[in-house]
Amino acid sequence: MEERTEVTTLGEFGLIDYLTRNIEIQQASTIVGVGDDGAVIDHFGKQTVISTDLLVEGIHFDLAYVPLKHLGYKSVVVNLSDIYAMNAIPTQITMSLAFSNRFPVEALNEFYEGVYAACETYGVDLVGGDTSASLKGLLISVTAIGEVAPGQFVKRSTAQKGDILCVTGDLGAAFLGLTMLEREKKIYLESPGVQPDLENRTYILGRQLKPEARKDIIEFLADQGITPTSMMDVSDGLSSEILHICKQSNLGVVLYEEKIPIHQETKEVAMNFGLDPTAAALSGGEDYELLFTLKQDDYDKITLNENISPIGYMTENSEGAHILTKGGNKYKLVAQGWNAFEQ
Amino acid sequence: MEERTEVTTLGEFGLIDYLTRNIEIQQASTIVGVGDDGAVIDHFGKQTVISTDLLVEGIHFDLAYVPLKHLGYKSVVVNLSDIYAMNAIPTQITMSLAFSNRFPVEALNEFYEGVYAACETYGVDLVGGDTSASLKGLLISVTAIGEVAPGQFVKRSTAQKGDILCVTGDLGAAFLGLTMLEREKKIYLESPGVQPDLENRTYILGRQLKPEARKDIIEFLADQGITPTSMMDVSDGLSSEILHICKQSNLGVVLYEEKIPIHQETKEVAMNFGLDPTAAALSGGEDYELLFTLKQDDYDKITLNENISPIGYMTENSEGAHILTKGGNKYKLVAQGWNAFEQ
């Protein structure tokens, strides 16, 4: 039988002590960590970047198919992705959890194993947080702190006309991983005896369950001496994010469908589900790739990196935001893909 | 009829734009605020202090008697209190909300009015956050950032034997305010026609519904050149907090019951409820006063400030933590008041 220790046996302070018992500080900037009213961070003359995200059970995740350890890992990664998207290096996080009494200490421990694994992978320190009861389900609130040399942060609003639009990695996989997990959950609920058939789709499932943030790209750009003119991370689907950059930079865009990077497995699974892989990339979400614009002069330097794809270019605002399809059509880009009725 | 605008009519980004439309940046350190992947903060060589709190409907607050505007104000203040308790000055906050569809835009707007009022009172900037649906009720997650001159932060673990233990303001009032509100709710539920009888208890109700953080004390201590040897804020009741300082500083304490500051209205209402005012101060919670220890040499300077009460002194750890009652008895101090069975 699995162990089940009720949280009430530890109390709030006992629980925090238990979950944070193995913390090892990795960042020299962490002066005071968990265990006081606040943490103290010394950024040694750098600027501090801060970002925060909520993840709510039943809205953002479904514990029917998300292992708690993966959820802990992902909760951290999605926040670090925001810090990288500012061209900064994450250094600390705080993690707050509200949970109902259906979660025993063992479940929380599993969640924190994932949290600590992500902290180790990305070299960040967990420096604080809060725990509380919830009336229903699990709710996770993470705040990430990062640092950047003064003035080196990159916003969404500073793209220039003629800049090249680039995206990292590939898109649409996390959405198809989710689609597959949802299908298996549905089958399981209808016929509990049936084993899930995930068809060894390890790539797309991994992209959904254990995403990574693009630390490597931020390091590559720094090594190459490239500062993107604008940047953000891709969490809500490529279309929506491109439109954010357009709106905030007061520009238009031309996006080439054929340039959008999509993994072979994503294409295959999309076909099996009768979905258009491009639609999955444009509207799927949860990719946690970086979307950025570059001066044309920097183009040669990025061709060295196979994880960066140029996908379009920025235009005058008056030219609007469009996608050029493989079939040679030009459609207006909208937040949920494209609008075939308005060219 | 009251207006009711469904959140879905605005969408997530529209809602964020709407709720943050009047933000005015107050802190020179706020380089990038709301509207990007992260905020950017320049602490100009100071150290950054960070603290975070969750407030969950049904656990931490009851919307039956807490106006949303007060709740917004309080959500900010309780976090700022943690920053002051590190001897730091709060500069920025992030505010994340998860809410069910029973909350229209007007309700969120009212909540944010309180948030902005607190930001203005304390001179902090709202620089980010997240909004999400929830399966049930309202959940609030606030992270506060502050700054402190290098090495000037004050922890819980650094009290010394012989130090004077002090507390600010008065204690127990917020708990009695809550007790009164709970009573009126119960009467209302039993007899909906009966108007609440709050007996003009404005002091204790204000302490529960609209607490303030002790910015004034941190400024006073700085003006007097006093650095407490340890400090924390009083959120869970005086006993529990004193025991945190004892445990983390590896010391004992003697606390004088007669020195514990309690407001006249708190005493009166406690009597009416048949409660011991000292018990309310020791175990009530939500006072958001500061508890700190001072070197004996600094004692004369604090007598100038009527908002600071010396209430005891720190002893060797082996002497334990005790309260000397008005009746001349010595009891062991426990997290929920004192233990009359163990001297």
Side-chain angles (χ1 to χ4, degrees):
Chain A
M1 209 177 97
E2 267 188 71
E3 263 188 272
R4 182 178 168 94
T5 310
E6 298 301 330
V7 168
T8 46
T9 62
L10 293 177
E12 182 183 351
F13 300 119
L15 176 66
I16 293 170
D17 286 349
Y18 175 74
L19 294 173
T20 59
R21 69 197 180 284
N22 293 325
I23 286 187
E24 281 176 34
I25 297 299
Q26 302 182 68
Q27 289 283 346
S29 61
T30 304
I31 312 291
V32 176
V34 168
D36 219 299
D37 294 281
V40 180
I41 301 167
D42 192 335
H43 281 296
F44 307 107
K46 294 202 169 179
Q47 289 175 335
T48 302
V49 178
I50 184 158
S51 179
T52 192
D53 265 311
L54 278 180
L55 290 98
V56 182
E57 184 179 353
I59 309 288
H60 298 98
F61 58 88
D62 185 337
L63 290 173
Y65 49 72
V66 178
L68 279 165
K69 187 172 173 180
H70 284 81
L71 183 63
Y73 193 92
K74 184 171 176 175
S75 303
V76 176
V77 165
V78 302
N79 268 272
L80 302 187
S81 179
D82 281 321
I83 301 292
Y84 290 122
M86 297 297 291
N87 199 34
I89 303 296
T91 49
Q92 285 89 8
I93 59 162
T94 65
M95 166 66 68
S96 296
L97 284 187
F99 45 87
S100 66
N101 57 13
R102 84 173 202 268
F103 293 93
V105 173
E106 287 75 16
L108 299 176
N109 202 42
E110 206 183 313
F111 178 87
Y112 270 87
E113 275 179 26
V115 170
Y116 289 123
C119 285
E120 199 176 323
T121 302
Y122 292 93
V124 303
D125 293 334
L126 176 69
V127 295
D130 197 5
T131 60
S132 166
S134 79
L135 293 180
K136 190 171 182 183
L138 177 64
L139 193 139
I140 306 159
S141 177
V142 184
T143 299
I145 314 282
E147 60 182 32
V148 62
Q152 288 302 299
F153 57 87
V154 176
K155 296 165 62 174
R156 301 173 177 180
S157 57
T158 41
Q160 299 291 322
K161 182 189 155 189
D163 286 351
I164 299 165
L165 182 68
C166 299
V167 75
T168 61
D170 60 80
L171 303 174
F175 171 73
L176 282 156
L178 180 65
T179 305
M180 185 163 247
L181 289 164
E182 292 276 6
R183 182 192 67 185
E184 292 309 311
K185 180 188 171 189
K186 193 158 168 281
I187 292 172
Y188 177 82
L189 290 174
E190 286 164 1
S191 327
V194 177
Q195 282 295 301
D197 177 12
L198 297 171
E199 303 167 27
N200 285 321
R201 296 305 194 181
T202 53
Y203 183 73
I204 63 164
L205 293 171
R207 293 279 287 171
Q208 169 58 225
L209 294 174
K210 190 170 173 285
E212 300 290 351
R214 297 300 331 215
K215 183 185 186 194
D216 60 327
I217 298 293
I218 297 305
E219 289 170 350
F220 170 80
L221 293 172
D223 285 350
Q224 296 293 321
I226 303 171
T227 306
T229 56
S230 72
M231 183 155 58
M232 66 183 299
D233 74 333
V234 182
S235 52
D236 293 335
L238 183 63
S239 302
S240 167
E241 314 304 21
I242 290 177
L243 292 173
H244 277 299
I245 286 184
C246 287
K247 183 183 170 196
Q248 295 195 28
S249 296
N250 201 27
L251 293 174
V253 73
V254 174
L255 170 67
Y256 296 96
E257 182 188 7
E258 64 181 355
K259 305 273 189 193
I260 298 172
I262 301 177
H263 192 276
Q264 187 56 34
E265 191 174 305
T266 307
K267 290 180 187 168
E268 289 166 15
V269 176
M271 300 301 192
N272 294 349
F273 276 102
L275 296 171
D276 175 1
T278 302
L282 289 175
S283 311
E286 295 202 275
D287 299 301
Y288 303 108
E289 297 293 347
L290 292 171
L291 175 70
F292 56 90
T293 54
L294 282 183
K295 289 191 206 102
Q296 290 186 17
D297 294 349
D298 285 327
Y299 178 72
D300 286 348
K301 296 182 202 162
I302 61 137
T303 57
L304 300 168
N305 191 320
E306 60 181 11
N307 288 310
I308 300 177
S309 303
I311 55 173
Y313 62 93
M314 307 310 291
T315 66
E316 292 276 12
N317 189 29
S318 59
E319 295 178 46
H322 293 95
I323 181 168
L324 291 181
T325 66
K326 291 173 191 165
N329 292 310
K330 184 180 175 187
Y331 294 124
K332 190 171 174 187
L333 199 64
V334 293
Q336 291 303 312
W338 69 81
N339 186 347
F341 300 102
E342 204 177 334
Q343 299 193 12
Chain B
M1 210 177 100
E2 266 187 72
E3 263 188 273
R4 181 179 169 94
T5 311
E6 298 300 330
V7 168
T8 47
T9 62
L10 293 177
E12 182 182 353
F13 300 119
L15 176 65
I16 293 169
D17 286 349
Y18 175 74
L19 294 173
T20 59
R21 69 199 180 283
N22 292 326
I23 285 188
E24 282 175 35
I25 296 298
Q26 304 182 68
Q27 288 283 345
S29 60
T30 304
I31 313 291
V32 176
V34 168
D36 219 299
D37 295 282
V40 180
I41 301 167
D42 192 335
H43 281 296
F44 307 108
K46 293 201 171 183
Q47 290 176 335
T48 302
V49 179
I50 185 160
S51 179
T52 192
D53 266 310
L54 278 181
L55 290 98
V56 182
E57 184 180 353
I59 309 288
H60 298 99
F61 58 87
D62 185 336
L63 290 173
Y65 48 73
V66 178
L68 279 165
K69 187 172 173 181
H70 284 82
L71 184 62
Y73 193 91
K74 184 171 175 173
S75 303
V76 176
V77 165
V78 303
N79 268 273
L80 302 186
S81 180
D82 281 322
I83 301 292
Y84 290 122
M86 297 297 290
N87 200 34
I89 302 296
T91 49
Q92 284 90 10
I93 59 162
T94 66
M95 166 67 68
S96 296
L97 284 187
F99 46 86
S100 66
N101 57 11
R102 85 171 202 269
F103 293 93
V105 174
E106 288 75 14
L108 299 176
N109 202 41
E110 207 185 312
F111 178 88
Y112 270 87
E113 276 179 26
V115 170
Y116 289 123
C119 286
E120 199 177 322
T121 302
Y122 293 92
V124 304
D125 293 335
L126 176 69
V127 296
D130 197 5
T131 59
S132 166
S134 79
L135 293 180
K136 190 170 184 184
L138 178 63
L139 193 139
I140 307 159
S141 176
V142 184
T143 299
I145 314 282
E147 61 182 30
V148 62
Q152 288 302 299
F153 57 87
V154 176
K155 296 165 62 176
R156 300 173 177 181
S157 57
T158 41
Q160 298 292 321
K161 181 190 157 189
D163 286 350
I164 299 165
L165 182 67
C166 298
V167 75
T168 62
D170 60 80
L171 304 174
F175 171 73
L176 282 157
L178 180 65
T179 305
M180 185 163 246
L181 290 163
E182 292 277 7
R183 182 193 66 185
E184 292 310 310
K185 181 188 172 190
K186 194 160 168 278
I187 292 171
Y188 177 82
L189 290 175
E190 286 164 3
S191 327
V194 177
Q195 282 295 301
D197 177 12
L198 297 171
E199 304 167 25
N200 284 320
R201 296 306 194 180
T202 53
Y203 183 73
I204 64 164
L205 293 171
R207 293 279 286 172
Q208 169 57 227
L209 293 174
K210 189 168 174 288
E212 301 290 351
R214 298 302 325 219
K215 183 186 186 196
D216 60 327
I217 299 292
I218 297 305
E219 290 170 348
F220 170 80
L221 293 173
D223 285 348
Q224 296 293 319
I226 303 171
T227 306
T229 54
S230 72
M231 184 155 58
M232 67 184 298
D233 74 333
V234 182
S235 53
D236 293 335
L238 183 63
S239 303
S240 167
E241 314 304 21
I242 290 177
L243 292 173
H244 277 299
I245 287 186
C246 287
K247 184 184 168 195
Q248 295 196 29
S249 297
N250 202 27
L251 292 174
V253 72
V254 174
L255 170 67
Y256 296 96
E257 182 188 5
E258 63 181 354
K259 304 270 190 195
I260 299 172
I262 301 178
H263 193 277
Q264 186 56 32
E265 191 175 307
T266 307
K267 289 180 189 169
E268 290 166 15
V269 176
M271 298 302 190
N272 295 349
F273 277 102
L275 296 170
D276 175 2
T278 302
L282 289 175
S283 309
E286 295 201 275
D287 299 301
Y288 303 108
E289 297 292 346
L290 292 172
L291 176 70
F292 56 90
T293 55
L294 284 183
K295 289 192 206 102
Q296 291 187 17
D297 294 348
D298 286 326
Y299 178 71
D300 287 347
K301 296 181 201 163
I302 60 136
T303 56
L304 300 169
N305 192 319
E306 60 181 11
N307 288 310
I308 300 178
S309 304
I311 55 173
Y313 63 93
M314 307 309 291
T315 65
E316 292 277 12
N317 189 28
S318 58
E319 296 178 44
H322 293 93
I323 180 168
L324 291 181
T325 65
K326 291 173 191 166
N329 292 310
K330 185 179 175 188
Y331 294 124
K332 191 171 174 188
L333 200 64
V334 293
Q336 290 304 312
W338 68 80
N339 187 345
F341 300 102
E342 204 178 334
Q343 299 195 10

